[in-house]
Amino acid sequence: MKIRRIMTASVSSGSGKTLITCGLLRLLQKKGYRVASFKCGPDFIDPMFHEKVLGEKSLNLDPYLAGPSVCRMLLAEHAEHADLSVMEGVMGFYDGISPASSEGGASDLAAVTDTPVLLIVPARGMSRSALALIRGFLDFGDRSVSKPFERVTSGKRIRGLILNRVSRSFYPVLKDMIEKETGIPVVGYVPVLDDSMTLESRHLGLVLPDEIRDFQQKLDRLAALMEETVDLSKILSLADEACDLPDEEIAGTEEQMLKAVRGNLPCTGNREMDKLRIAVAEDEAFCFLYEDNLALLRKAGAEPVPFSPMHDAHLPEKTDGLILPGGYPELHAEELSRNTGMREEIRKAVVSGLPTHAECGGFLYLHRVLVDPDGRAFPMAGVFPGRVRNTGHLTRFGYASLSGAPFFGIKTGPVRVHEFHYYESDDPGTDFLAEKPSGKRAYRCGFSRTTLYAGFPHIYYPAEPRVAGAFLRQCAAYHEQEVGSICRT
């Protein structure tokens, strides 16, 4: 499969990667290109920015969580009808799951998908030092990165450069010097931007795009600027250098994934009543949800149904399962608490056996009390008796693997997950053993019940599709039980 693609990467976090990526996406859109966008790694917020720009869902590609073949499958699937695919890297280009490994990082994803890279270099205050920095990235050969495509080493995948925070007058000097001494084309620059065109951050990353005043106008101004300062035709020619993806492997990977999901499902026929309805919390408080998780549920025959714990009075009708994803419930604790009918309905549903997947922010919501950032305590759903509060620092961060307990009654083996939270619970659970990739740290966490997974770790279904299958199996059992009780009535 031929997929025209490019990755935007950077030398470090805070280099302007997300802003420049969004500007490039809008510029391509204005030029009439159909664009598919992706984010390297487990981040939830950057894909929201991509979606806000394009009006289309952006997917995560995580070679550590999902593995190389699944990343290639998801890339091919989402990019099938696009003219160009744009991947945004994570952290610095060579940063990965630990200081000793680039696995899971941008260079790893570039390797497993054979994607040409545009390296964003924040060159403000530099002259010849910028050259030394760039040569280091070009010459660095990282042996820890997966290399199914053996054509080039990591550094050689950097095919172009964008200089960030560089003055218009000094740019030609830097461009000429860099191209003469490295042979790598400098495809453009972005000058120092004023506050009206930058993005704000808070404790879990950037503020959400819906919270940014005049966001679309900011993007339009940035795209208009980049149309003058970036060589779009050169970027497109670099994207053409990506090799074809292996068709047979992609088809086989999808078949294996669906088989892993459906292997845990009972044979319920094809009647319309057998389509499982999964209530999915989606609003200002619950917005950290992998689109690939929902896509896999749909492929298995389920119907995700969005609802709002903040604004709706009841769960969706005929609900067979419940997903409470992550987000910012702590910023909306008062509104969530005020919706007493919904809190009580969810408590009764979970306690009575409605299959429920609650992670991070969703896990916070199921506690008895949530303390907001101002120290105010608000009643929540009350499934768990403890309190959750802000620690003021990252409590647990990064990748881990969960083992020791089944997911929805099915033993799957270790499941790779990701955590990122400032909040802590009086009782975060002990059913799972979480082990860090380095093997030097482990801790107990989470709750495992036949009809419940609850805890801080985020689960990515494509990483272990049997978790999705186990969840749907319990949803199917709940559905049959409810249908049976209606028929008997």
Side-chain angles (χ1 to χ4, degrees), residues 80-156:
E80 183 177 5
H81 302 295
D83 300 315
L84 178 71
S85 294
V86 177
M87 304 176 194
E88 181 184 345
V90 61
M91 299 187 292
F93 182 56
Y94 291 109
D95 298 325
I97 61 173
S98 72
S101 174
S102 294
E103 185 180 1
S107 59
D108 194 10
L109 181 62
V112 303
T113 60
D114 193 47
T115 298
V117 175
L118 282 176
L119 187 68
I120 297 167
V121 181
R124 185 178 187 179
M126 293 187 189
S127 56
R128 196 161 179 78
S129 294
L131 178 62
L133 177 65
I134 292 164
R135 290 194 67 128
F137 272 80
L138 295 175
D139 295 340
F140 187 72
D142 191 348
R143 297 181 180 179
S144 70
V145 173
S146 307
K147 296 183 180 70
F149 296 97
E150 294 291 351
R151 297 189 310 156
V152 292
T153 58
S154 313
K156 302 305 180 186

Side-chain angles (χ1 to χ4, degrees), residues 270-276 303:
N270 295 312
R271 297 169 298 165
E272 184 63 29
M273 64 174 286
D274 289 328
K275 177 164 277 194
L276 303 174
E303 179 187 1

